[in-house]
Amino acid sequence: MKKKVTILLPAYNEAESIVELEHCMQQVVDENSLYDWEFLLVNDGSTDNTLQMIKELQLKNERYHFIDLSRNYGKEIAVMAGIDYVQTDAVIIMDADMQHPVSVIPEMLKSWEEGYDDVYAQRQTSDESWLKRKTSKLYYIILQKSTNISIQKDTGDFRLLDRKCIEALKSMRETDRNNKGMFSWIGFRKKGISYQQNLRNHGKSKWSYYRLLNLALTGITSFTTTPLRFASIFGIIVSLMAFLYLIYIVIKTILYGDPVQGYPTLMVTILFLGGIQLIAIGIIGEYLSHIFNETKKRPGYFVREYK
């Protein structure tokens, strides 16, 4: 009996890419005939005619299914919704813009058959700007240094996950999600394979600097408490320095009197300590915001239609 594999494709305003997507999925079927294929598209509140084109695909090809979310929740939640609906032996997560090459899939399947549960793809090169590449590298360094789990760098959602991984991810119901960290956190046997990312032929990236920054902060605050510990340690150091300076002022006053001077020093000290306090409060606020969101226990998403 053939093993069944789902390709999960989150889509937000990807109408221009649907024709290319259909062609690539047919290539997957033709070149990997030993498996039974299913394609699950998640419409993440698109405002163009993405949903209409997805429905047309579903009507003419029974391999296609779709989830229409009630609004735009973001890619992390769209992937969560797709994984919740996967019923097959494995899932391959890909971008609907087809920057992830389907030529990598046979190697993923081979590694899966060898016993690996999570076969992740690592980019060799990227067409992103210099700033994005450098900030991404810095983010992975910070995340890896501050967590006790192994985070794969230059790795996104493009990967094959075995049924064991799917069930593990389905049990994790937090709504402030960072999929890259969650894939690492669940463990299981992992293997990385390299790939050359395709150029984007249609549309433009939905990842603005603000969204990337928000995702990075979510990743750090979701998988480590190091920023809180760092704020505490830094606070202790600053307090110790302030106490030593206090002793110096007392001794100086006893020995030489108390002339009215040192206004610049006083202002610099006040502003420095105030800045440190605001940074610490901001770090605490980031963690409190996650606690606030999770304690409401709202569903991660609502589905308007599934076929």
Side-chain angles (χ1 to χ4, degrees):
M1 186 176 179
K2 291 183 178 180
K3 291 183 178 180
K4 194 168 186 178
V5 182
T6 297
I7 295 185
L8 172 59
L9 300 144
Y12 174 65
N13 289 348
E14 295 290 355
E16 296 178 347
S17 302
I18 297 299
V19 173
E20 182 181 2
L21 182 151
E22 182 182 13
H23 171 75
C24 290
M25 295 304 103
Q26 187 58 50
Q27 181 182 340
V28 171
V29 174
D30 294 339
E31 295 179 357
N32 303 277
S33 58
L34 295 178
Y35 298 88
D36 189 7
W37 291 97
E38 173 186 271
F39 308 116
L40 177 60
L41 290 100
V42 182
N43 179 48
D44 188 23
S46 298
T47 55
D48 60 3
N49 63 336
T50 296
L51 179 60
Q52 180 183 345
M53 297 189 70
I54 290 175
K55 286 184 175 181
E56 291 174 0
L57 272 181
Q58 194 267 334
L59 287 174
K60 68 180 182 180
N61 191 330
E62 63 181 7
R63 294 182 188 273
Y64 284 89
H65 300 276
F66 71 88
I67 301 170
D68 181 27
L69 299 182
S70 60
R71 64 171 177 86
N72 176 240
Y73 290 91
K75 186 181 179 183
E76 306 297 296
I77 295 296
V79 170
M80 171 188 178
I83 287 176
D84 285 345
Y85 280 78
V86 169
Q87 300 296 326
T88 52
D89 299 303
V91 63
I92 298 175
I93 306 171
M94 301 182 68
D95 287 349
D97 58 18
M98 291 294 100
Q99 285 192 274
H100 295 156
V102 296
S103 58
V104 178
I105 290 178
E107 189 174 354
M108 284 183 166
L109 294 170
K110 180 182 177 182
S111 298
W112 179 44
E113 294 291 359
E114 291 173 353
Y116 291 97
D117 305 305
D118 180 355
V119 186
Y120 57 89
Q122 292 181 301
R123 292 187 302 271
Q124 291 180 333
T125 58
S126 173
D127 61 347
E128 294 175 337
S129 65
W130 177 88
L131 180 60
K132 275 192 176 182
R133 292 197 303 271
K134 292 300 181 182
T135 51
S136 176
K137 183 178 180 180
L138 177 62
Y139 164 69
Y140 280 113
I141 291 174
I142 294 174
L143 189 60
Q144 187 63 76
K145 293 292 185 181
S146 60
T147 61
N148 57 1
I149 58 175
S150 178
I151 305 292
Q152 296 83 33
K153 63 180 181 179
D154 299 324
T155 303
D157 295 329
F158 186 25
R159 63 184 64 221
L160 181 150
L161 298 170
D162 182 75
R163 188 76 225 171
K164 294 189 288 292
C165 297
I166 295 170
E167 293 300 324
L169 291 167
K170 286 171 68 174
S171 69
M172 302 169 71
R173 305 312 300 175
E174 58 257 45
T175 54
D176 282 341
R177 301 176 76 85
N178 182 282
N179 289 331
K180 299 176 186 64
M182 296 174 79
F183 294 145
S184 299
W185 190 87
I186 62 174
F188 297 104
R189 293 193 65 194
K190 299 183 184 296
K191 181 180 180 181
I193 57 176
S194 61
Y195 77 101
Q196 183 74 39
Q197 183 168 289
N198 294 333
L199 294 175
R200 188 182 180 97
N201 295 321
H202 308 285
K204 60 181 181 179
S205 174
K206 312 304 186 299
W207 289 101
S208 63
Y209 282 107
Y210 173 77
R211 285 194 171 189
L212 289 171
L213 177 61
N214 186 59
L215 183 64
L217 288 174
T218 300
I220 292 173
T221 54
S222 294
F223 293 96
T224 177
T225 57
T226 299
L228 289 172
R229 189 171 293 115
F230 177 79
S232 299
I233 294 171
F234 198 61
I236 292 171
I237 293 173
V238 171
S239 297
L240 180 61
M241 291 173 61
F243 180 72
L244 294 174
Y245 185 66
L246 173 64
I247 295 175
Y248 166 76
I249 293 296
V250 170
I251 295 175
K252 182 180 178 183
T253 301
I254 293 173
L255 295 177
Y256 303 104
D258 185 22
V260 180
Q261 60 182 2
Y263 178 76
T265 303
L266 180 63
M267 289 303 299
V268 169
T269 303
I270 291 173
L271 292 174
F272 175 72
L273 293 176
I276 296 300
Q277 289 173 339
L278 289 174
I279 291 172
I281 291 171
I283 292 173
I284 295 171
E286 286 291 327
Y287 283 92
L288 285 176
S289 68
H290 290 304
I291 296 171
F292 172 71
N293 289 333
E294 298 302 333
T295 54
K296 289 184 287 189
K297 296 188 180 299
R298 293 176 181 172
Y301 59 89
F302 288 105
V303 174
R304 183 160 47 192
E305 187 178 3
Y306 168 70
K307 284 188 179 180

